[in-house]
Short mmCIF file of all heavy atoms in Angstrom, two decimals:
data_model
loop_
_atom_site.label_atom_id
_atom_site.label_comp_id
_atom_site.label_asym_id
_atom_site.label_seq_id
_atom_site.Cartn_x
_atom_site.Cartn_y
_atom_site.Cartn_z
N ARG A 2029 31.54 -13.98 -22.22
CA ARG A 2029 31.42 -15.50 -21.93
C ARG A 2029 29.94 -15.89 -21.79
O ARG A 2029 29.52 -16.92 -22.42
CB ARG A 2029 32.19 -15.78 -20.63
CG ARG A 2029 32.15 -17.23 -20.24
CD ARG A 2029 32.96 -17.56 -18.95
NE ARG A 2029 32.45 -16.70 -17.83
CZ ARG A 2029 31.43 -16.92 -17.04
NH1 ARG A 2029 30.60 -17.87 -17.35
NH2 ARG A 2029 31.09 -16.09 -16.10
N VAL A 2030 29.18 -15.19 -21.02
CA VAL A 2030 27.81 -15.49 -20.78
C VAL A 2030 26.99 -15.35 -22.09
O VAL A 2030 26.15 -16.17 -22.37
CB VAL A 2030 27.17 -14.64 -19.63
CG1 VAL A 2030 25.65 -14.91 -19.53
CG2 VAL A 2030 27.83 -14.81 -18.36
N LEU A 2031 27.34 -14.32 -22.83
CA LEU A 2031 26.57 -14.12 -24.13
C LEU A 2031 26.84 -15.30 -25.02
O LEU A 2031 25.79 -15.85 -25.59
CB LEU A 2031 27.13 -12.80 -24.78
CG LEU A 2031 26.51 -12.43 -26.10
CD1 LEU A 2031 25.01 -12.23 -25.95
CD2 LEU A 2031 27.13 -11.08 -26.58
N LYS A 2032 28.07 -15.67 -25.15
CA LYS A 2032 28.33 -16.82 -26.09
C LYS A 2032 27.68 -18.06 -25.54
O LYS A 2032 27.07 -18.91 -26.31
CB LYS A 2032 29.83 -17.09 -26.15
CG LYS A 2032 30.57 -16.13 -27.08
CD LYS A 2032 32.02 -16.43 -27.13
CE LYS A 2032 32.78 -15.60 -28.07
NZ LYS A 2032 34.27 -15.63 -27.82
N ALA A 2033 27.74 -18.33 -24.27
CA ALA A 2033 27.18 -19.53 -23.71
C ALA A 2033 25.70 -19.63 -23.89
O ALA A 2033 25.11 -20.64 -24.23
CB ALA A 2033 27.55 -19.64 -22.28
N PHE A 2034 24.98 -18.42 -23.68
CA PHE A 2034 23.57 -18.47 -23.88
C PHE A 2034 23.15 -18.65 -25.34
O PHE A 2034 22.20 -19.39 -25.57
CB PHE A 2034 23.00 -17.12 -23.25
CG PHE A 2034 21.49 -17.30 -23.03
CD1 PHE A 2034 20.88 -18.29 -22.26
CD2 PHE A 2034 20.63 -16.34 -23.58
CE1 PHE A 2034 19.45 -18.37 -22.11
CE2 PHE A 2034 19.20 -16.38 -23.40
CZ PHE A 2034 18.74 -17.41 -22.67
N ILE A 2035 23.88 -18.00 -26.24
CA ILE A 2035 23.59 -18.17 -27.60
C ILE A 2035 23.75 -19.64 -28.01
O ILE A 2035 22.83 -20.17 -28.65
CB ILE A 2035 24.48 -17.27 -28.49
CG1 ILE A 2035 24.06 -15.79 -28.29
CG2 ILE A 2035 24.38 -17.66 -29.92
CD1 ILE A 2035 25.05 -14.82 -28.96
N ALA A 2036 24.86 -20.33 -27.51
CA ALA A 2036 25.03 -21.70 -27.89
C ALA A 2036 23.94 -22.52 -27.33
O ALA A 2036 23.41 -23.44 -27.97
CB ALA A 2036 26.35 -22.12 -27.32
N TYR A 2037 23.51 -22.29 -26.12
CA TYR A 2037 22.37 -22.93 -25.51
C TYR A 2037 21.12 -22.85 -26.38
O TYR A 2037 20.41 -23.83 -26.67
CB TYR A 2037 22.07 -22.48 -24.06
CG TYR A 2037 20.97 -23.26 -23.43
CD1 TYR A 2037 21.24 -24.51 -22.77
CD2 TYR A 2037 19.66 -22.77 -23.37
CE1 TYR A 2037 20.17 -25.24 -22.29
CE2 TYR A 2037 18.68 -23.48 -22.82
CZ TYR A 2037 18.92 -24.75 -22.23
OH TYR A 2037 17.89 -25.45 -21.65
N LEU A 2038 20.79 -21.59 -26.76
CA LEU A 2038 19.54 -21.32 -27.57
C LEU A 2038 19.68 -22.05 -28.91
O LEU A 2038 18.69 -22.56 -29.46
CB LEU A 2038 19.43 -19.87 -27.71
CG LEU A 2038 19.08 -19.04 -26.53
CD1 LEU A 2038 19.09 -17.60 -26.87
CD2 LEU A 2038 17.70 -19.46 -25.92
N GLN A 2039 20.89 -22.02 -29.43
CA GLN A 2039 21.10 -22.78 -30.81
C GLN A 2039 20.81 -24.24 -30.65
O GLN A 2039 20.00 -24.73 -31.44
CB GLN A 2039 22.52 -22.58 -31.16
CG GLN A 2039 22.84 -22.92 -32.55
CD GLN A 2039 24.01 -22.08 -33.08
OE1 GLN A 2039 24.77 -21.43 -32.37
NE2 GLN A 2039 24.07 -22.11 -34.37
N ALA A 2040 21.30 -24.86 -29.51
CA ALA A 2040 21.03 -26.24 -29.35
C ALA A 2040 19.54 -26.62 -29.20
O ALA A 2040 19.04 -27.61 -29.63
CB ALA A 2040 21.81 -26.74 -28.17
N LYS A 2041 18.78 -25.55 -28.69
CA LYS A 2041 17.42 -25.72 -28.46
C LYS A 2041 16.52 -25.30 -29.71
O LYS A 2041 15.34 -25.42 -29.75
CB LYS A 2041 16.89 -24.96 -27.26
CG LYS A 2041 17.44 -25.40 -25.95
CD LYS A 2041 16.48 -26.44 -25.34
CE LYS A 2041 17.30 -27.35 -24.42
NZ LYS A 2041 16.52 -28.47 -23.91
N GLY A 2042 17.28 -24.69 -30.68
CA GLY A 2042 16.55 -24.18 -31.83
C GLY A 2042 15.66 -23.06 -31.61
O GLY A 2042 14.68 -22.79 -32.22
N LEU A 2043 16.08 -22.13 -30.60
CA LEU A 2043 15.26 -20.98 -30.33
C LEU A 2043 15.91 -19.73 -30.95
O LEU A 2043 17.10 -19.57 -31.09
CB LEU A 2043 15.16 -20.82 -28.83
CG LEU A 2043 14.36 -21.90 -28.13
CD1 LEU A 2043 14.64 -21.84 -26.55
CD2 LEU A 2043 12.94 -21.87 -28.35
N THR A 2044 15.02 -18.76 -31.30
CA THR A 2044 15.53 -17.50 -31.78
C THR A 2044 14.84 -16.37 -31.09
O THR A 2044 13.82 -16.47 -30.47
CB THR A 2044 15.22 -17.30 -33.36
OG1 THR A 2044 13.83 -17.61 -33.53
CG2 THR A 2044 16.03 -18.32 -34.20
N ASP A 2045 15.44 -15.13 -31.28
CA ASP A 2045 14.88 -13.86 -30.70
C ASP A 2045 14.55 -13.90 -29.22
O ASP A 2045 13.65 -13.38 -28.70
CB ASP A 2045 13.56 -13.50 -31.45
CG ASP A 2045 13.97 -12.89 -32.77
OD1 ASP A 2045 15.12 -12.42 -32.99
OD2 ASP A 2045 13.05 -12.81 -33.69
N TYR A 2046 15.41 -14.67 -28.40
CA TYR A 2046 15.10 -14.74 -27.01
C TYR A 2046 15.45 -13.44 -26.30
O TYR A 2046 16.63 -12.92 -26.47
CB TYR A 2046 15.92 -15.90 -26.35
CG TYR A 2046 15.28 -16.40 -25.08
CD1 TYR A 2046 14.31 -17.37 -25.04
CD2 TYR A 2046 15.69 -15.79 -23.93
CE1 TYR A 2046 13.76 -17.75 -23.78
CE2 TYR A 2046 15.10 -16.10 -22.74
CZ TYR A 2046 14.15 -17.07 -22.66
OH TYR A 2046 13.59 -17.46 -21.48
N PRO A 2047 14.57 -12.90 -25.54
CA PRO A 2047 14.81 -11.63 -24.97
C PRO A 2047 15.91 -11.69 -23.84
O PRO A 2047 15.88 -12.47 -22.98
CB PRO A 2047 13.50 -11.15 -24.28
CG PRO A 2047 12.78 -12.43 -24.14
CD PRO A 2047 13.18 -13.35 -25.20
N VAL A 2048 16.86 -10.71 -23.96
CA VAL A 2048 17.95 -10.66 -22.90
C VAL A 2048 18.22 -9.11 -22.56
O VAL A 2048 17.71 -8.24 -23.31
CB VAL A 2048 19.21 -11.20 -23.39
CG1 VAL A 2048 19.17 -12.75 -23.65
CG2 VAL A 2048 19.83 -10.45 -24.67
#
Side-chain angles (χ1 to χ4, degrees):
R2029 178 180 59 78
V2030 176
L2031 179 59
K2032 283 183 173 163
F2034 194 54
I2035 290 174
Y2037 180 81
L2038 294 173
Q2039 192 151 15
K2041 293 270 156 186
L2043 296 167
T2044 52
D2045 282 341
Y2046 199 91
V2048 297

